[in-house]
Amino acid sequence: MRKENNVKEAKIIDKEKESKVKEKENIQVVNNIEKKSSDEKRFNYNMTDKDKNIVITIILTFTCCLLIFGIFYKFYLKNLVVETTKVQKDVTVTDLGIADAVDKVYDSVVVIENYINDRVISSGTGFVFKTDDSYGYILTNYHVVSGSKKIVVTFTNENKIEASLIGTDEYSDIAVLRVNKSNVISVAEIGESDNLRVGDTTFTVGAPLDSSVYSWTVTRGILSGKNRLVEVTINNGNSVMEVLQTDAAINSGNSGGPLCNSNGEVVGITNMKIASSTIEGMGFAIPIDSAITTANTLIEGKSASRPYLGVSIYAANDNMYSNNTSIYVEYVENNSVADNAGIKKGDKILKFDDKNVTTTAQFRYQLYKHNIGDKITLTIERNGREIKLDVTLSSANGIN
């Protein structure tokens, strides 16, 4: 009996142990499940933070892009004018004005007034193109200062200064004035006329019409043409001047002022226009390259020297029924280079080197393109025969 009780008690104890073990296992399983659930929650929580960071980064990047574009639009695109022309290629032209270019040259420009008996008889324009240790040098046209007894220049600060006339050259229509360097406000930047292209922006600064009202007027256009040959009257004779053509407005009083490119560099000196009720926008300027060479020669105290042939020529129609003119030798100076080359009175001049010449203006233009000492060939007609004569050009006093 006792044994059976012991056995029953042992079984009860084993069951209790087994029950406790199972209870422990169940608790462990529950703990494992709770731990796994906690780990999953932590993992999900960490993923949510990462997603938030990504979203914030995207929002910040997008906001910065919008801000940058807004600034770019306000300060650049809003003021941008774009014109596109398609010929053989796409060309984009942006135009924000030329105020900065005008500023570069503006204070170098002066108003020139010519006096006779203390009265202003004419006015024009000029500009300071160089200085040295003592003086500022003003470039203008010969015809602006021709005949004056006193020349007064006015700077943009309204300071009026009497200027000295250093030298002139009528053929090139160049004159140089001088003032004390202390009076100079600014010196113009000189460009290169040879580098210009037809269609380039050009502008002028001058004193058209009434200089007391319209001084330092700026007009704008384009370069309409290069190497234009315009016939002019010099020393009561006709000649041809090679000039730049622009449609920038040039009026009386603009003569002698600067013609500038879009960078504010002087590329020419305005000197004339074609005036007619049927013509508009045809102004001309002396190329700055040749003008500076002549001006520096005058500053050195020299005269602009040009080659000399020693002949007098005239133009005439070949016959009463023809409008075509030819040029003939009227007179040959004794012992001149023309005389020594065998040129005779009555010779008909056909060509200057390889260029046909039919007017005295064309002949003088071809002659003055050369330098003293150059060798040229004249093709003439004498007694129905063409003859070629070689001539070495000299100066007026016969010096080569």
Side-chain angles (χ1 to χ4, degrees), residues 23-88:
E23 187 176 342
K24 277 184 180 183
E25 289 177 351
N26 290 336
I27 291 171
Q28 183 68 35
V29 169
V30 171
N31 289 337
N32 289 339
I33 291 172
E34 289 178 351
K35 183 179 181 181
K36 184 176 180 181
S37 176
S38 176
D39 289 341
E40 287 178 352
K41 287 181 180 180
R42 189 180 298 112
F43 176 76
N44 290 337
Y45 178 78
N46 291 336
M47 287 296 292
T48 302
D49 281 350
K50 186 176 180 180
D51 289 343
K52 286 181 178 179
N53 289 335
I54 292 172
V55 171
I56 291 171
T57 301
I58 292 173
I59 292 172
L60 288 175
T61 302
F62 182 73
T63 303
C64 290
C65 289
L66 285 177
L67 180 61
I68 292 171
F69 179 79
I71 295 172
F72 180 72
Y73 174 81
K74 180 177 180 180
F75 292 101
Y76 185 75
L77 290 180
K78 190 176 180 180
N79 299 315
L80 184 65
V81 177
V82 179
E83 297 176 2
T84 303
T85 304
K86 189 167 184 179
V87 184
Q88 294 178 336

Side-chain angles (χ1 to χ4, degrees), residues 345-357:
K345 178 181 178 180
D347 286 344
K348 177 181 178 180
I349 301 175
L350 304 176
K351 291 184 179 181
F352 195 114
D353 284 334
D354 58 346
K355 303 294 184 182
N356 292 325
V357 286

Side-chain angles (χ1 to χ4, degrees), residues 103-109 127-132 135-137 181 184-190 264 266:
D103 283 344
K104 288 177 66 173
V105 71
Y106 196 79
D107 285 331
S108 71
V109 179
F127 60 95
V128 180
F129 78 102
K130 68 181 292 186
T131 59
D132 58 23
Y135 300 107
Y137 297 93
K181 185 178 180 180
V184 173
I185 301 173
S186 178
V187 179
E189 184 176 342
I190 305 301
V266 181

Side-chain angles (χ1 to χ4, degrees), residues 63-246:
T63 303
C64 290
C65 289
L66 285 177
L67 180 61
I68 292 171
F69 179 79
I71 295 172
F72 180 72
Y73 174 81
K74 180 177 180 180
F75 292 101
Y76 185 75
L77 290 180
K78 190 176 180 180
N79 299 315
L80 184 65
V81 177
V82 179
E83 297 176 2
T84 303
T85 304
K86 189 167 184 179
V87 184
Q88 294 178 336
K89 60 182 181 180
D90 289 335
V91 179
T92 301
V93 179
T94 60
D95 187 357
L96 299 177
I98 56 171
D100 290 339
V102 172
D103 283 344
K104 288 177 66 173
V105 71
Y106 196 79
D107 285 331
S108 71
V109 179
V110 298
V111 176
I112 298 175
E113 294 176 317
N114 301 310
Y115 287 77
I116 293 181
N117 297 328
D118 294 326
R119 294 185 60 186
V120 177
I121 60 168
S122 63
S123 65
T125 308
F127 60 95
V128 180
F129 78 102
K130 68 181 292 186
T131 59
D132 58 23
D133 292 339
S134 302
Y135 300 107
Y137 297 93
I138 297 170
L139 199 53
T140 187
N141 291 143
Y142 166 83
H143 75 263
V144 168
V145 297
S146 177
S148 64
K149 300 300 181 182
K150 184 174 78 170
I151 301 171
V152 174
V153 298
T154 305
F155 289 85
T156 53
N157 59 3
E158 301 299 331
N159 193 16
K160 290 181 177 287
I161 303 296
E162 184 172 350
S164 301
L165 181 61
I166 298 300
T168 63
D169 181 56
E170 183 178 5
Y171 177 77
S172 61
D173 199 16
I174 294 296
V176 179
L177 309 177
R178 186 178 71 187
V179 296
N180 288 332
K181 185 178 180 180
S182 59
N183 298 122
V184 173
I185 301 173
S186 178
V187 179
E189 184 176 342
I190 305 301
E192 296 182 359
S193 49
D194 285 345
N195 292 338
L196 289 172
R197 299 170 61 197
V198 173
D200 281 349
T201 293
T202 58
F203 69 90
T204 71
V205 184
L209 305 177
D210 185 349
S211 61
S212 64
V213 179
Y214 300 112
S215 298
W216 298 283
T217 292
V218 178
T219 60
R220 175 183 175 178
I222 63 169
L223 184 71
S224 306
K226 296 179 66 175
N227 309 118
R228 297 299 199 205
L229 301 180
V230 179
E231 191 166 323
V232 294
T233 301
I234 300 174
N235 285 329
N236 298 319
N238 291 333
S239 185
V240 172
M241 182 174 287
E242 187 174 301
V243 291
L244 305 171
Q245 180 185 340
T246 180

Side-chain angles (χ1 to χ4, degrees), residues 234-271:
I234 300 174
N235 285 329
N236 298 319
N238 291 333
S239 185
V240 172
M241 182 174 287
E242 187 174 301
V243 291
L244 305 171
Q245 180 185 340
T246 180
D247 66 348
I250 296 175
N251 295 289
S252 176
N254 270 111
S255 290
L259 177 72
C260 303
N261 61 21
S262 58
N263 195 38
E265 300 166 334
V266 181
V267 293
I269 306 172
T270 57
N271 69 326

